[in-house]
Coordinates of all heavy atoms in Angstrom, one line a residue:
L175 N -20.0 14.4 15.8 CA -19.8 12.9 15.6 C -18.4 12.5 15.5 O -18.1 11.3 15.8 CB -20.6 12.4 14.4 CG -22.1 12.6 14.5 CD1 -22.8 12.2 13.2 CD2 -22.7 11.7 15.6
S176 N -17.5 13.4 15.1 CA -16.1 13.0 14.9 C -15.2 14.3 15.1 O -14.8 14.9 14.1 CB -15.9 12.4 13.6 OG -14.5 11.9 13.4
L178 N -12.2 14.5 16.4 CA -10.8 14.2 16.0 C -10.9 13.2 14.9 O -10.9 12.0 15.2 CB -10.0 13.8 17.1 CG -8.5 13.6 16.9 CD1 -7.9 15.0 16.6 CD2 -7.8 12.9 18.0
V180 N -10.1 10.7 13.0 CA -9.1 9.7 12.7 C -9.7 8.6 11.7 O -9.1 8.2 10.7 CB -8.6 9.0 14.0 CG1 -7.8 7.8 13.7 CG2 -7.7 10.0 14.8
E181 N -10.9 8.2 12.1 CA -11.6 7.2 11.2 C -11.8 7.7 9.8 O -11.5 7.0 8.8 CB -12.9 6.7 11.9 CG -13.6 5.6 11.0 CD -14.9 5.2 11.7 OE1 -15.4 5.8 12.6 OE2 -15.5 4.2 11.2
M184 N -8.7 7.5 7.8 CA -8.4 6.1 7.3 C -9.3 5.7 6.2 O -8.8 5.1 5.2 CB -8.5 5.1 8.5 CG -7.4 5.3 9.6 SD -7.5 3.9 10.8 CE -9.0 4.3 11.6
S219 N -16.8 15.1 27.5 CA -16.8 13.7 27.7 C -17.2 12.9 26.5 O -16.6 11.9 26.2 CB -17.8 13.4 28.8 OG -17.5 13.9 30.1
V220 N -18.2 13.4 25.7 CA -18.6 12.8 24.5 C -17.4 12.8 23.4 O -17.1 11.8 22.8 CB -19.8 13.5 23.9 CG1 -20.2 12.9 22.5 CG2 -21.0 13.2 24.8
T221 N -16.8 14.0 23.3 CA -15.8 14.1 22.2 C -14.5 13.3 22.6 O -13.9 12.7 21.7 CB -15.4 15.6 22.0 OG1 -15.0 16.2 23.2 CG2 -16.6 16.3 21.4
R222 N -14.2 13.3 23.9 CA -13.1 12.4 24.3 C -13.3 11.0 24.1 O -12.4 10.2 23.6 CB -12.7 12.7 25.8 CG -11.9 13.9 26.0 CD -11.6 14.1 27.5 NE -12.8 14.4 28.3 CZ -12.8 14.4 29.6 NH1 -11.8 13.9 30.3 NH2 -14.0 14.7 30.2
R223 N -14.5 10.5 24.3 CA -14.8 9.1 24.1 C -14.8 8.8 22.6 O -14.3 7.8 22.1 CB -16.2 8.7 24.6 CG -16.6 7.3 24.3 CD -17.8 6.8 25.1 NE -18.2 5.5 24.7 CZ -17.6 4.3 25.0 NH1 -16.4 4.3 25.6 NH2 -18.1 3.2 24.5
Q224 N -15.3 9.7 21.8 CA -15.2 9.6 20.3 C -13.7 9.4 19.9 O -13.4 8.5 19.1 CB -15.8 10.8 19.6 CG -17.3 11.0 19.7 CD -17.7 12.3 19.1 OE1 -16.9 13.2 18.9 NE2 -19.0 12.5 18.9
A225 N -12.9 10.3 20.4 CA -11.5 10.3 20.0 C -10.8 9.0 20.5 O -10.1 8.4 19.7 CB -10.8 11.5 20.6
R226 N -11.1 8.5 21.7 CA -10.5 7.3 22.1 C -10.9 6.1 21.3 O -10.1 5.2 20.9 CB -10.9 7.0 23.6 CG -10.1 7.9 24.6 CD -10.3 7.3 26.0 NE -11.7 7.3 26.5 CZ -12.2 8.3 27.2 NH1 -11.5 9.4 27.5 NH2 -13.4 8.3 27.6
L227 N -12.2 6.0 20.9 CA -12.7 5.0 20.0 C -12.0 5.0 18.6 O -11.6 3.9 18.1 CB -14.2 5.0 19.9 CG -15.0 4.7 21.1 CD1 -16.5 5.0 20.9 CD2 -14.8 3.2 21.5
E228 N -11.9 6.2 18.1 CA -11.2 6.3 16.8 C -9.7 6.0 16.8 O -9.2 5.3 15.9 CB -11.5 7.7 16.2 CG -13.0 7.9 15.9 CD -13.3 9.1 15.0 OE1 -12.5 9.3 14.0 OE2 -14.3 9.7 15.1
L229 N -9.1 6.4 17.9 CA -7.7 6.0 18.1 C -7.5 4.5 18.3 O -6.5 3.9 17.7 CB -7.1 6.8 19.3 CG -6.9 8.3 19.1 CD1 -6.6 9.0 20.4 CD2 -5.8 8.6 18.0
A230 N -8.4 3.9 19.0 CA -8.4 2.4 19.2 C -8.6 1.7 17.9 O -8.0 0.7 17.6 CB -9.4 2.0 20.2
L231 N -9.5 2.3 17.0 CA -9.7 1.7 15.7 C -8.4 1.7 14.9 O -8.1 0.8 14.1 CB -10.9 2.4 15.0 CG -11.3 1.9 13.6 CD1 -11.7 0.4 13.7 CD2 -12.4 2.7 13.0
A232 N -7.7 2.9 14.9 CA -6.5 3.0 14.2 C -5.5 1.9 14.7 O -4.8 1.3 13.8 CB -5.9 4.4 14.3
A233 N -5.4 1.8 16.0 CA -4.5 0.8 16.5 C -4.8 -0.6 16.0 O -4.0 -1.4 15.7 CB -4.5 0.8 18.0
A234 N -6.1 -0.9 16.0 CA -6.6 -2.3 15.6 C -6.3 -2.5 14.1 O -6.1 -3.6 13.7 CB -8.1 -2.4 15.8
R235 N -6.2 -1.4 13.3 CA -5.9 -1.5 11.9 C -4.4 -1.3 11.6 O -4.0 -1.3 10.5 CB -6.7 -0.5 11.1 CG -8.2 -0.7 11.1 CD -8.9 0.3 10.3 NE -10.4 0.1 10.3 CZ -11.3 0.9 9.7 NH1 -10.9 2.0 9.0 NH2 -12.6 0.7 9.8

Side-chain angles (χ1 to χ4, degrees):
L175 296 175
S176 185
L178 188 68
V180 169
E181 182 181 10
M184 291 189 292
S219 295
V220 172
T221 55
R222 278 182 290 165
R223 177 163 174 75
Q224 290 170 349
R226 284 196 296 268
L227 290 172
E228 295 197 34
L229 291 168
L231 182 61
R235 294 181 180 177

